Coordinates of all heavy atoms in Angstrom, one line a residue:
G39 N 18.9 33.0 13.4 CA 18.3 33.6 14.6 C 18.9 33.0 15.9 O 19.2 33.7 16.9
L40 N 19.0 31.7 16.0 CA 19.4 31.0 17.2 C 20.9 31.3 17.4 O 21.4 31.5 18.5 CB 19.2 29.5 17.1 CG 17.7 29.1 17.2 CD1 17.5 27.6 17.0 CD2 17.2 29.5 18.6
V41 N 21.7 31.3 16.3 CA 23.1 31.6 16.5 C 23.3 33.1 17.0 O 24.1 33.4 17.8 CB 23.9 31.4 15.2 CG1 25.3 32.0 15.2 CG2 24.0 29.9 14.9
G42 N 22.5 34.0 16.4 CA 22.6 35.4 16.8 C 22.2 35.5 18.3 O 22.8 36.3 19.0
L43 N 21.2 34.8 18.7 CA 20.7 34.9 20.1 C 21.8 34.3 21.0 O 22.1 34.9 22.1 CB 19.4 34.1 20.2 CG 18.8 34.0 21.6 CD1 18.4 35.4 22.1 CD2 17.7 33.1 21.7
A44 N 22.4 33.2 20.6 CA 23.5 32.6 21.4 C 24.7 33.5 21.5 O 25.3 33.7 22.6 CB 23.9 31.3 20.9
Q45 N 25.0 34.2 20.4 CA 26.2 35.1 20.5 C 25.9 36.3 21.3 O 26.7 36.9 22.0 CB 26.6 35.5 19.1 CG 27.3 34.4 18.3 CD 27.6 34.9 16.9 OE1 27.1 35.8 16.4 NE2 28.5 34.1 16.3
W46 N 24.6 36.8 21.3 CA 24.2 37.9 22.1 C 24.2 37.5 23.6 O 24.6 38.3 24.5 CB 22.9 38.4 21.7 CG 22.3 39.5 22.6 CD1 22.6 40.8 22.6 CD2 21.3 39.3 23.6 NE1 21.9 41.4 23.6 CE2 21.1 40.5 24.2 CE3 20.6 38.2 24.0 CZ2 20.1 40.7 25.2 CZ3 19.6 38.3 25.0 CH2 19.4 39.6 25.6
A47 N 23.8 36.3 23.9 CA 23.6 35.9 25.3 C 24.9 35.5 26.0 O 25.1 35.6 27.2 CB 22.6 34.7 25.4
L48 N 25.9 34.9 25.2 CA 27.1 34.5 25.7 C 28.1 35.6 25.8 O 28.3 36.4 24.9 CB 27.7 33.3 24.9 CG 26.9 32.0 24.9 CD1 27.5 31.0 23.9 CD2 26.9 31.4 26.3
P49 N 28.9 35.7 26.9 CA 29.9 36.7 27.0 C 31.1 36.4 26.1 O 31.3 35.2 25.6 CB 30.3 36.7 28.5 CG 30.0 35.3 28.9 CD 28.8 34.9 28.1
D50 N 32.0 37.4 25.9 CA 33.2 37.1 25.1 C 34.1 36.2 25.8 O 34.8 35.4 25.1 CB 33.9 38.5 24.8 CG 33.1 39.4 23.9 OD1 32.3 38.8 23.1 OD2 33.3 40.6 23.9
Q51 N 34.2 36.2 27.1 CA 35.0 35.3 27.8 C 34.3 34.8 29.0 O 33.5 35.5 29.6 CB 36.4 35.9 28.1 CG 36.3 37.2 28.9 CD 37.7 37.7 29.1 OE1 38.6 36.9 29.4 NE2 37.9 39.0 29.0
T52 N 34.6 33.6 29.4 CA 33.9 33.0 30.6 C 35.0 32.6 31.6 O 36.1 32.1 31.2 CB 33.1 31.8 30.2 OG1 32.3 32.1 29.1 CG2 32.4 31.2 31.3
L53 N 34.8 32.8 32.9 CA 35.7 32.5 33.9 C 35.2 31.2 34.6 O 34.1 31.2 35.2 CB 35.8 33.6 34.9 CG 36.8 33.4 36.0 CD1 38.2 33.3 35.5 CD2 36.8 34.6 37.0
L54 N 35.9 30.2 34.5 CA 35.6 28.9 35.1 C 36.5 28.6 36.3 O 37.7 28.8 36.2 CB 35.7 27.7 34.1 CG 34.7 27.8 32.9 CD1 35.0 26.6 32.0 CD2 33.3 27.7 33.4
P55 N 35.9 28.2 37.4 CA 36.8 27.9 38.5 C 37.8 26.7 38.2 O 37.4 25.8 37.5 CB 35.8 27.4 39.6 CG 34.4 27.6 39.1 CD 34.5 27.9 37.7
L56 N 38.9 26.8 38.7 CA 40.0 25.8 38.5 C 40.6 25.8 37.1 O 41.6 25.2 36.9 CB 39.6 24.4 38.9 CG 39.1 24.3 40.4 CD1 38.6 22.9 40.6 CD2 40.3 24.6 41.4
I57 N 39.9 26.4 36.1 CA 40.4 26.4 34.8 C 40.9 27.8 34.4 O 42.0 27.9 33.7 CB 39.3 25.9 33.8 CG1 39.0 24.5 34.1 CG2 39.8 26.1 32.3 CD1 37.9 23.9 33.2
G58 N 40.2 28.8 34.7 CA 40.5 30.2 34.4 C 39.6 30.7 33.3 O 38.5 30.3 33.1

Side-chain angles (χ1 to χ4, degrees):
L40 288 176
V41 167
L43 180 67
Q45 286 178 344
W46 173 76
L48 291 174
D50 291 336
Q51 56 181 318
T52 306
L53 183 63
L54 294 177
L56 302 174
I57 295 176

